[in-house]
Amino acid sequence: MSKFEHYPRRFWTSSRALRAGRRGTDNHSMSNRSISRRPKTQNEWQRRIARAEELCAQYSFAGEILRFYLVIARFQENFYEELGRSFERSSAGAGRVDSEPFRRPLHPELTNRFESFLSVVEQNGPDQLREAARELQDGGDDSHFQLLKVFWNGTETGPLPPGPHDFFACAFLQPYAAGIRSRSSVRWSGPTPYRCPFCKRKPGLGVLRPLGDGGQRSLVCSFCLAEWEFRRIVCPGCGEENPAKLPVYTAEELKHVRVEGCDSCRSYIKTVDLTKSGLAEPIVDEMASIPLDLWAQKQGYAKLQCNLLQL
Ligand SMILES: [Zn+2]
Ligand SMILES: [Zn+2]
């Protein structure tokens, strides 16, 4: 039995212990519980914000992380709405849906709001990010566009290493990515795409949604937040299909979040189990269940893709 002692963090310093995980494999059926839904009038960012506020009060171990996430998510929500209005203006009359929006070069105009994003982080972020925000503010618009472009082209030129720059670019561009993804006409074929069918990035988490007596598994993109179905007993890192090599771990305190490991490639991904908690918002619950990351990493697993807060 292991203890969760410290966050596996790049920016975060708090620590808090949780009790250990337990081991099993994913070959049992699960009960299908009733799901209570949030008001439909909320958009996806509003639902995440509401959930993060809820969990802030419940999970003291994730308070610091969730408070910062709330600041970021509120910025993202405003930016998302703003971009939505400008998409509507620009597509009005054109009647065209884009089939490859992620292959288009990034528009320099997007940089206009980056400065205000840096200020938000400079005022609310953990020390290392505040400092990085100040340095970026000194750099000016050209260097900002350069950074965003490097991130945007990352699937062709290689991703930015995890760290402050990756965080700034990903968090800032995410509402734009989600916006163009939801308006695109991209369709995919093939049974199990290992990368996001839209932006080609790695999945950041999994979701189990109620289906019959069990759960339908899907993956969620770490950038544009697309969700796509994925076979339940397959490693999204290497394609391993042997159930004996795909252990699932859960902790008593966070029953609805599973650590899904792979003993072939030693990667793991966390999956939010909506058959156990219909109130969960996968992206927020994944982020809040930080003690599970430390636990998994102590067992020698490496996260397939770090989340927005670089955890
Ligand atoms: Zn994507
Ligand atoms: Zn694997």
Side-chain angles (χ1 to χ4, degrees):
M1 305 287 266
S2 303
K3 297 249 181 216
F4 302 119
E5 285 148 357
H6 303 283
Y7 293 143
R9 70 295 125 309
R10 291 191 174 82
F11 313 135
W12 311 99
T13 51
S14 307
S15 65
R16 169 74 191 261
L18 272 191
R19 285 207 305 276
R22 68 168 192 272
R23 184 179 172 133
T25 47
D26 191 12
N27 50 14
H28 57 284
S29 68
M30 303 171 92
S31 65
N32 185 0
R33 301 191 185 178
S34 66
I35 300 287
S36 56
R37 298 242 176 243
R38 295 181 191 287
K40 285 210 164 99
T41 48
Q42 288 183 319
N43 69 30
E44 55 181 303
W45 260 281
Q46 289 163 343
R47 290 197 304 272
R48 288 179 204 129
I49 289 166
R51 178 62 173 170
E53 283 167 346
E54 237 168 65
L55 292 186
C56 249
Q58 277 175 39
Y59 295 170
S60 56
F61 54 81
E64 183 192 7
I65 285 159
L66 290 171
R67 277 188 294 278
F68 181 57
Y69 171 70
L70 276 166
V71 171
I72 300 302
R74 288 184 184 120
F75 177 91
Q76 289 185 322
E77 190 215 343
N78 286 333
F79 193 28
Y80 184 73
E81 297 276 321
E82 213 174 277
L83 287 164
R85 288 190 291 274
S86 87
F87 286 139
E88 269 153 38
R89 279 196 301 275
S90 64
S91 65
R96 151 178 87 77
V97 272
D98 203 334
S99 62
E100 290 194 322
F102 287 93
R103 301 192 68 167
R104 294 186 184 285
L106 199 64
H107 202 287
E109 247 184 43
L110 270 171
T111 320
N112 296 348
R113 290 282 266 124
F114 193 58
E115 183 71 40
S116 56
F117 181 59
L118 291 175
S119 304
V120 165
V121 178
E122 207 258 320
Q123 285 160 34
N124 301 281
D127 291 347
Q128 199 190 339
L129 285 182
R130 283 171 189 243
E131 207 175 299
R134 279 192 286 270
E135 276 169 24
L136 283 166
Q137 280 168 330
D138 292 342
D141 282 357
D142 286 351
S143 70
H144 297 169
F145 183 57
Q146 212 44 43
L147 165 63
L148 297 176
K149 214 166 62 172
V150 169
F151 179 88
W152 185 255
N153 298 333
T155 50
E156 282 149 32
T157 56
L160 284 172
H165 283 190
D166 186 52
F167 161 77
F168 281 111
C170 182
F172 177 73
L173 289 175
Q174 194 162 58
Y176 174 69
I180 61 172
R181 185 252 305 151
S182 67
R183 287 167 175 80
S184 85
S185 60
V186 175
R187 294 288 172 270
W188 66 91
S189 56
T192 54
Y194 290 78
R195 298 280 177 133
C196 171
F198 296 88
C199 74
K200 314 291 183 218
R201 289 176 197 257
K202 286 187 196 171
L205 67 149
V207 182
L208 280 176
R209 295 187 180 277
L211 178 77
D213 290 333
Q216 164 70 55
R217 185 193 196 194
S218 48
L219 299 176
V220 178
C221 176
S222 53
F223 179 43
C224 78
L225 308 178
E227 185 175 328
W228 68 96
E229 280 182 20
F230 195 77
R231 276 166 56 205
R232 185 143 169 183
I233 305 176
V234 179
C235 167
C238 71
E240 177 60 72
E241 297 184 19
N242 178 356
K245 292 189 168 178
L246 298 170
V248 174
Y249 303 92
T250 55
E252 196 52 38
E253 294 87 343
L254 292 162
K255 282 190 181 127
H256 68 297
V257 185
R258 306 145 49 103
V259 172
E260 298 176 339
C262 173
D263 289 336
S264 290
C265 68
R266 301 301 291 170
S267 72
Y268 78 95
I269 189 166
K270 288 192 293 182
T271 287
V272 178
D273 186 348
L274 297 177
T275 71
K276 299 241 167 87
S277 168
L279 289 175
E281 275 297 319
I283 287 155
V284 181
D285 286 67
E286 193 281 332
M287 219 175 270
S289 57
I290 182 71
L292 297 175
D293 290 284
L294 173 66
W295 184 85
Q297 287 163 22
K298 267 198 172 162
Q299 313 309 305
Y301 295 109
K303 202 168 189 179
L304 184 63
Q305 170 67 48
C306 64
N307 64 29
L308 184 70
L309 300 185
Q310 305 279 306
L311 294 163

